[in-house]
Amino acid sequence: KIFKLRDALKQLSSQFDLVFIDTAPAFNFYTLAALIAGDRVVIPFDCDVFPKRALQTLIENVLETQDDHNDRLEIEGIVVNQFQSQAKLPREVVQQLKDEGLPVLESMLPPSVLMKESHQKNLPLIYLAADHKLTLAYVTLFDEIEAKK
């Protein structure tokens, strides 16, 4: 069962250039199936000290999945979420990640209640508020990921 998503995506490969799979923030059966099916993984990181501790475990899980099930899998980068550029601690945390040699993407996502509104209304950010700073940050992030392709 763990390979069904991979097999389904192979059948769709002629119809789609890219498929993004968004999993729950836990390493479980569904996350493992997505890692087995995927070529690249983008790791969201809420910019704080506690998530930093969990990040290393997640990276180890990704590398283990790569060794055991999917040698094509690459870590595309770490997306810093809830980044408050004016505060000292978030800048320090991001610098620590970079100093550790982790692939932190340049595009960082600011905090905003707009995301919660988007979820509540079941409406993508681009349709809810196309010119909002969070929407523009996501567009920039997509462009950065697309450029690495």
Side-chain angles (χ1 to χ4, degrees):
K1 290 186 175 188
I2 198 79
F3 299 105
K4 286 189 175 204
L5 179 59
R6 180 196 64 191
D7 297 342
L9 289 176
K10 279 184 184 178
Q11 292 177 354
L12 297 172
S13 65
S14 64
Q15 298 172 38
F16 297 95
D17 295 329
L18 289 172
V19 174
F20 288 87
I21 304 168
D22 185 11
T23 65
F27 192 78
N28 56 30
F29 174 86
Y30 302 105
T31 305
L32 180 58
L35 291 172
I36 290 171
D39 294 324
R40 300 182 290 168
V41 59
V42 175
I43 301 172
F45 173 75
D46 281 352
C47 197
D48 201 349
V49 176
F50 294 115
K52 186 175 179 281
R53 295 177 187 159
L55 178 62
Q56 191 59 44
T57 301
L58 179 57
I59 291 172
E60 289 170 8
N61 288 333
V62 170
L63 295 176
E64 184 178 330
T65 302
Q66 181 186 47
D67 288 342
D68 293 347
H69 301 289
N70 183 356
D71 60 359
R72 306 177 325 277
L73 185 63
E74 297 178 19
I75 296 176
E76 181 73 26
I78 297 168
V79 177
V80 178
N81 193 20
Q82 305 295 326
F83 183 69
Q84 298 176 0
S85 61
Q86 304 304 318
K88 182 180 177 184
L89 181 61
R91 291 194 315 267
E92 288 176 352
V93 169
V94 169
Q95 190 57 52
Q96 288 172 0
L97 295 176
K98 290 179 178 181
D99 290 347
E100 292 172 15
L102 297 175
V104 178
L105 296 172
E106 291 301 316
S107 303
M108 298 186 196
L109 304 173
S112 175
V113 297
L114 185 68
M115 182 60 75
K116 291 179 182 177
E117 292 174 26
S118 170
H119 292 165
Q120 179 195 24
K121 295 178 181 180
N122 289 324
L123 194 61
L125 288 174
I126 198 77
Y127 297 121
L128 182 62
D131 294 329
H132 190 275
K133 68 179 181 175
L134 183 59
T135 306
L136 298 176
Y138 269 102
V139 170
T140 301
L141 172 62
F142 178 81
D143 290 344
E144 181 179 354
I145 292 170
E146 187 68 6
K148 288 181 166 227
K149 193 167 87 166

